[in-house]
Amino acid sequence: MKFENSEFHFLKKDDRIVSLARINFDFKLEIQENLHSFAELVGLVSVEKTKGYGSFLLNKMVTNLKEREIDTIGFCKLELRPIYERNDIQILYGKGIFITEFDNNKWIDSDDDDILIINTSEENINILQSLNEQNKAILV
């Protein structure tokens, strides 16, 4: 099953879903030969921009993940930074591009620009901050 290690968070208004996100609990990175497991915030979307639905859902999710003490990171492209900056999500600028995976017999670099720190330890933040061209993370 494709989403068996996931949970979905959504915000409803007047019996319709106005914002949705997924948490992937099956996300692992190998960094300097060490395996790091995180939950991954995936695909935060809202049906209408500028209504605040995405921000509201994001803040509720962050609170929930912190209360449950779940190590969680996410990723974003440059054009999506503002929503995370407005919501005080710590961003490791330019570090997302240093994640790579082996797929179809070739190495593929991530097309995400940044790593989002949703909830994780200072030690993990430092490890992620150390990513660079010579020290890439491998998606397992």
Side-chain angles (χ1 to χ4, degrees), residues 8-130:
F8 291 85
H9 295 249
F10 61 93
L11 177 65
K12 285 179 69 174
K13 182 179 180 198
D14 300 327
D15 290 333
R16 65 185 186 107
I17 295 173
V18 294
S19 190
L20 173 73
R22 179 171 70 97
I23 303 296
N24 170 20
F25 290 100
D26 191 21
F27 187 80
K28 294 174 182 61
L29 294 173
E30 182 182 312
I31 304 170
Q32 297 174 343
E33 299 180 8
N34 293 309
L35 195 60
H36 300 271
S37 295
F38 298 96
E40 175 195 22
L41 170 62
V42 183
L44 174 66
V45 294
S46 288
V47 295
E48 296 177 65
K49 296 193 184 301
T50 71
K51 297 282 187 182
Y53 301 140
S55 292
F56 185 83
L57 180 61
L58 179 63
N59 286 306
K60 290 293 185 183
M61 274 190 335
V62 169
T63 299
N64 178 277
L65 293 162
K66 286 180 178 179
E67 286 173 354
R68 293 164 53 200
E69 298 179 357
I70 297 174
D71 278 345
T72 310
I73 61 174
F75 302 92
C76 76
K77 295 183 186 309
L78 179 66
E79 62 269 14
L80 297 176
R81 278 182 189 165
I83 188 172
Y84 298 106
E85 290 172 331
R86 280 193 306 272
N87 287 283
D88 297 321
I89 300 296
Q90 182 179 354
I91 301 172
L92 302 183
Y93 295 99
K95 295 299 179 174
I97 61 173
F98 300 120
I99 296 174
T100 189
E101 66 180 302
F102 196 71
D103 190 33
N104 292 326
N105 294 318
K106 62 182 175 179
W107 287 100
I108 301 170
D109 289 334
S110 172
D111 63 350
D112 286 309
D113 295 294
D114 305 324
I115 298 174
L116 306 171
I117 303 300
I118 306 301
N119 183 52
T120 194
S121 68
E122 199 64 39
E123 178 184 357
N124 283 336
I125 293 170
N126 291 335
I127 290 167
L128 294 167
Q129 186 68 47
S130 74

